[in-house]
């Protein structure tokens, strides 16, 4: 069994691959203050519920965009599982040519998503990762990573409205029935959800214009991808677990 770990700013996603099949996955909150022991206990409970022991895991790969957890989680893996995880970063074989001015600046999650997206769908391809931040990654027909765009995430916008205003409440992020809200909550949901659909489609339009031929399939991933993709003009399909598949592919290239 291969344990894959995707560490994001809001959530950590664990997955278990048995051969080519993702047999289990779990999502927990990222917490910089939690210790390696706390994460070890949480992971043990998640595994045990599904009849898996630490001893069943043969290897581990992880990608992280949270520096503190980039140290905490490997410590947990070594202490509780007895394995040192392979960490996506400098020196790791990805099979993708990064055309960024400084390739080291590209987040591990963006690289992993690009590896998975090109393997599944080929290129040209645009990947919209709708999470804490919204990242847009562009891959050409050769599988080269060209770059992309980054915008504040939908959750950040919702939290900002709640924290920076006196009377606006915290709202559940869901697709409203109408653009014209009849209550404050409906109005906020309309502005946030439909506003971000417009933002995402607008950036995708601009990206497409800079791709030779102007054509590219657009894939959505991330926690809010299904919410946004329902009304997007360009996102053709979604895969919220794209990053886990990319981690498995990179593991195979390096082992």
């Amino acid at each position: 069994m291969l344990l894959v770990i995707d560490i994001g700013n809001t959530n950590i996603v664990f997955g278990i691959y048995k051969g080519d099949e993702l047999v289990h996955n779990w999502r927990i909150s990222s917490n910089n203050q939690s210790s390696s022991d706390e994460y070890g206990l949480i992971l043990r409970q998640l595994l045990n519920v599904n009849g898996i022991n630490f001893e069943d895991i043969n290897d581990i790969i992880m990608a992280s965009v949270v520096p503190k957890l980039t140290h905490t989680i490997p410590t947990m893996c070594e202490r509780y599982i007895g394995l040192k995880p392979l960490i996506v970063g400098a020196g790791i074989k990805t099979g993708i040519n990064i055309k960024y001015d400084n390739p080291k600046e590209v987040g591990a999650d963006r690289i992993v998503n690009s590896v998975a997206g090109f393997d599944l769908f080929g290129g040209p391809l645009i990947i919209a990762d709708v999470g804490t931040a919204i990242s847009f990654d562009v891959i050409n027909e050769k599988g080269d990573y060209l770059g992309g765009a980054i915008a504040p995430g939908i959750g950040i916008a919702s939290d900002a409205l709640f924290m920076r205003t006196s009377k606006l409440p915290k709202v559940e992020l869901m697709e409203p029935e109408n653009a014209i809200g009849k209550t404050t909550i409906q109005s906020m949901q309309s502005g946030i959800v439909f506003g971000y659909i417009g933002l995402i489609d607008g950036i995708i339009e601009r990206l497409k214009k800079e791709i030779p031929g102007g054509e590219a399939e657009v894939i959505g991933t991330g926690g809010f991808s299904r919410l946004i993709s329902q009304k997007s003009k360009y996102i053709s399909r979604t895969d919220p677990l794209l990053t886990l598949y990319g981690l498995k592919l990179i593991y195979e290239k390096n082992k």
Side-chain angles (χ1 to χ4, degrees), residues 1 10 19 22 26 33 47 59 61 63 74 136 173 188 194 212-213 225:
M1 289 185 178
T10 303
L22 180 65
W26 309 273
Q33 305 308 312
L47 293 171
D59 222 334
I61 183 170
F136 301 84
L173 293 173
M188 291 175 67
F194 292 142
S225 58

Side-chain angles (χ1 to χ4, degrees), residues 7-10 12 28-40 42 66-73:
I7 303 172
N9 289 292
T10 303
I12 301 175
I28 67 172
S29 296
S30 298
N31 186 347
N32 278 335
Q33 305 308 312
S34 293
S35 68
S36 58
D37 293 323
E38 289 173 305
Y39 279 117
I42 291 171
V66 185
K68 190 172 188 303
L69 294 181
T70 305
H71 298 285
T72 301
I73 297 300

Side-chain angles (χ1 to χ4, degrees), residues 37-237:
D37 293 323
E38 289 173 305
Y39 279 117
L41 292 173
I42 291 171
L43 182 58
R44 187 197 300 274
Q45 290 174 333
L46 294 172
L47 293 171
N48 287 349
V49 165
N50 292 276
I52 302 171
N53 298 313
F54 283 142
E55 294 78 14
D56 298 325
I57 297 171
N58 304 110
D59 222 334
I60 308 169
I61 183 170
M62 59 172 268
S64 174
V65 297
V66 185
K68 190 172 188 303
L69 294 181
T70 305
H71 298 285
T72 301
I73 297 300
T75 300
M76 177 271 290
C77 292
E78 292 185 55
R79 180 175 298 171
Y80 285 87
I81 307 175
L83 296 171
K84 185 176 182 179
L86 181 66
I87 302 174
V88 177
I92 293 292
K93 298 176 185 176
T94 63
I96 197 164
N97 187 16
I98 300 173
K99 297 290 189 178
Y100 233 48
D101 288 348
N102 181 358
K104 293 181 181 179
E105 290 182 359
V106 185
D109 55 338
R110 301 177 74 185
I111 294 171
V112 173
N113 284 342
S114 299
V115 170
F118 187 74
D119 181 83
L120 290 171
F121 309 110
L125 180 70
I126 297 172
I127 300 171
D129 188 345
V130 191
T132 305
I134 302 176
S135 62
F136 301 84
D137 301 303
V138 182
I139 301 97
N140 67 14
E141 72 282 355
K142 298 178 183 178
D144 298 331
Y145 178 87
L146 302 183
I150 302 174
I154 187 170
I156 291 175
S158 177
D159 290 344
L161 275 179
F162 170 64
M163 291 187 293
R164 298 297 295 272
T165 59
S166 299
K167 293 186 176 181
L168 295 181
K170 192 173 181 65
V171 299
E172 180 182 0
L173 293 173
M174 58 185 293
E175 183 186 341
E177 293 183 7
N178 303 293
I180 301 175
K182 299 296 187 181
T183 67
T184 298
I185 289 176
Q186 290 174 359
S187 297
M188 291 175 67
Q189 289 172 332
S190 174
I192 294 168
V193 176
F194 292 142
Y196 264 86
I197 291 170
L199 179 151
I200 288 169
D201 281 351
I203 292 177
I204 290 171
E205 280 185 10
R206 290 177 177 271
L207 295 175
K208 278 175 167 281
K209 289 178 181 178
E210 297 181 21
I211 296 173
E215 291 299 325
E217 185 166 8
V218 184
I219 305 301
T221 189
F224 291 111
S225 58
R226 285 183 174 154
L227 172 65
I228 295 299
S229 67
Q230 295 173 14
K231 297 294 184 180
S232 169
K233 292 189 294 184
Y234 298 109
I235 297 176
S236 60
R237 65 184 84 186

